[in-house]
Amino acid sequence: MTNTPIFVTRPSLPPLEEFLPYLEQIWDSGIVTNGGKMHQDLESALANHLRVPQVSLFGNGTIALMAALKVLGLTGEVITTPFSFVATTHALKWNGLEPVFADIDPVTLNLDPAKIEERITPRTSAILAVHCYGNPCDVDAIEAIAARHGLKVIYDAAHAFGVDCHCGSVLNHGDLSILSFHATKVFSTLEGGAIIAPNIKMKECIDRSKNFGIVSETEVESIGINGKMNEVQAAFGLLQLLRVDESIAARARVAARYDAALAGISGIDPVPSSGQLRANHAYYPVRVKPSFAMGRDGLYEALRKYGIFSRRYFFPLISSLPMYRDLPSASPSNLLTACAAAEEVLCLPIYPDLSEVDQDRIINAIGEASL
Ligand SMILES: *Cc1c(COP(=O)(O)O)cnc(C)c1O
């Protein structure tokens, strides 16, 4: 079975019989959504687990991000990274905000604080940064810039579940952080997401925004949206949470085997984990350098022939997509580091139950491609 496909990730599903009692509870209660018991339990379990003040659950990470931008009342321009999943920038446009791209740091591949400052204008209202691959942004520098210029800071922390930076959970930085619990992420509710808020007042405001802006039976205070997570998703999250530390440890073992094996292959440089006291190994990105003869796309195709489906995250750059490429800040000459990264990066398969046999198939295929 040497050609069984290996995908870049695979959702970890708990044994079905462990999920059934949760479903029975939901059926018995007759409450399937609108902030039932599972929802309340998951919000407090996550706040505990992540060591953050407040968690507001959402039906997915993109709606969470859109709601976060909305409740902060942003206007005009928002400085952001082109090196991310497309939802980051789409969420700005859906709120009528203008994305302004700034270049990234060549090592962390996160927004470069010096480049952020160059892009600030009188119309700038916020910085939307991404902890790419779970590597923390330079949060201190970003917060200093935001304070100097009176800007809000939102972190798209979709990759950063359980990541600690120098001072504890990275999710405690910025005005708000958002998480994604999509099936492909480290912690999943199949589809889902959350906003991490600093206090209960902000959480209440967010909670209303995801429930149509409703305050009471007769009052609607704002133009809210439907961003609610249902009870079945929340129950799935409660069950997943019991295993998430174990799955991060299993990911760490996979990453360590890649580190050891790839050290001997020239032209394949793992993107270093940097700035975290605790990593989550959500991704295993490498840079395929020009010295690797067949190049990044050659390696991507060669692996496909072996049934190994790596992914070129993040290629193409968001700033090169048709709806963004005419923005002044999207010019490749402003984004040289991001352009170079997009041409070199390849994410290798990593998930908690990637077997050593399958991982060896990937490593051997890369070794063969390097000859
Ligand atoms: C996954 C992801 C999102 C979107 O999350 P969904 O839950 O799929 O809506 C947003 N930003 C980044 C960086 C992501 O990786």
Side-chain angles (χ1 to χ4, degrees):
M1 296 250 293
T2 50
N3 267 324
T4 323
I6 304 175
F7 296 103
V8 72
T9 190
R10 198 164 77 182
S12 21
L13 298 173
L16 189 55
E17 62 274 14
E18 289 183 27
F19 193 40
L20 295 178
Y22 289 81
L23 293 179
E24 277 164 11
Q25 272 192 56
I26 296 171
W27 262 240
D28 287 348
S29 74
I31 293 170
V32 295
T33 187
N34 284 18
K37 180 171 187 307
M38 297 294 173
H39 188 280
Q40 291 166 29
D41 287 354
L42 184 59
E43 283 192 342
S44 47
L46 280 173
N48 259 322
H49 182 91
L50 297 169
R51 290 164 288 117
V52 297
Q54 299 292 338
V55 175
S56 178
L57 295 172
F58 277 77
N60 64 60
T62 304
I63 300 270
L65 182 51
M66 285 165 52
L69 299 169
K70 191 78 163 182
V71 298
L72 292 176
L74 306 183
T75 57
E77 300 172 357
V78 176
I79 298 173
T80 191
T81 173
F83 195 74
S84 181
F85 180 59
V86 68
T88 308
T89 312
H90 280 1
L92 292 172
K93 284 301 261 185
W94 270 78
N95 272 309
L97 297 163
E98 187 172 333
V100 174
F101 297 110
D103 207 359
I104 59 175
D105 177 274
V107 176
T108 65
L109 308 184
N110 288 326
L111 269 179
D112 179 342
K115 299 291 164 54
I116 294 175
E117 202 144 27
E118 288 170 12
R119 302 251 148 235
I120 295 173
T121 75
R123 298 189 62 231
T124 308
S125 64
I127 301 164
L128 170 54
V130 178
H131 302 298
C132 192
Y133 308 132
N135 287 331
C137 290
D138 187 344
V139 289
D140 293 335
I142 290 174
E143 269 137 51
I145 292 168
R148 268 205 296 286
H149 298 272
L151 307 177
K152 300 282 190 204
V153 179
I154 304 96
Y155 286 107
D156 178 341
H159 301 174
F161 186 95
V163 169
D164 287 346
C165 64
H166 60 295
C167 61
S169 172
V170 76
L171 302 172
N172 284 321
H173 290 277
D175 291 278
L176 296 173
S177 289
I178 75 103
L179 289 167
S180 165
F181 304 149
H182 185 254
T184 55
K185 305 298 209 270
V186 164
F187 169 80
S188 152
T189 57
L190 308 175
E191 290 273 3
I195 301 180
I196 308 303
N199 54 55
I200 184 72
K201 199 157 161 271
M202 183 56 107
K203 175 178 158 51
E204 285 168 356
C205 176
I206 293 164
D207 286 350
R208 289 193 292 275
S209 85
K210 75 177 173 201
N211 190 33
F212 313 99
I214 291 174
V215 183
S216 70
E217 271 185 43
T218 53
E219 289 165 286
V220 179
E221 68 157 17
S222 63
I223 305 174
I225 195 162
N226 182 357
K228 300 189 302 295
M229 175 183 279
N230 68 48
E231 288 292 279
V232 177
Q233 288 169 289
F236 189 87
L238 283 167
L239 184 52
Q240 285 284 90
L241 197 57
L242 301 177
R243 284 205 176 70
V244 73
D245 284 336
E246 204 179 294
S247 37
I248 290 173
R251 287 173 175 275
R253 287 193 291 276
V254 174
R257 288 186 92 240
Y258 274 135
D259 287 346
L262 299 178
I265 300 179
S266 93
I268 303 287
D269 295 357
V271 174
S273 285
S274 50
Q276 65 268 73
L277 288 181
R278 180 175 189 256
N280 67 6
H281 306 284
Y283 300 89
Y284 194 89
V286 300
R287 295 183 76 152
V288 183
K289 305 304 289 182
S291 62
F292 194 88
M294 69 171 62
R296 190 272 310 270
D297 291 345
L299 178 58
Y300 167 81
E301 293 297 340
L303 292 176
R304 279 178 77 96
K305 295 210 179 79
Y306 288 100
I308 298 162
F309 297 91
S310 61
R311 292 295 299 269
R312 290 168 286 192
Y313 299 142
F314 290 99
F315 167 85
L317 282 184
I318 301 175
S319 51
S320 71
L321 297 175
M323 62 296 269
Y324 299 118
R325 65 184 170 216
D326 293 330
L327 292 172
S329 65
S331 157
S333 61
N334 290 327
L335 304 170
L336 293 175
T337 308
C339 289
E343 294 298 322
E344 290 181 359
V345 78
L346 193 66
C347 284
L348 301 180
I350 186 165
Y351 44 90
D353 34 43
L354 179 64
S355 69
E356 294 196 355
V357 173
D358 279 349
Q359 193 179 10
D360 288 342
R361 254 176 71 196
I362 301 162
I363 291 165
N364 293 337
I366 297 171
E368 231 164 87
S370 73
L371 299 178

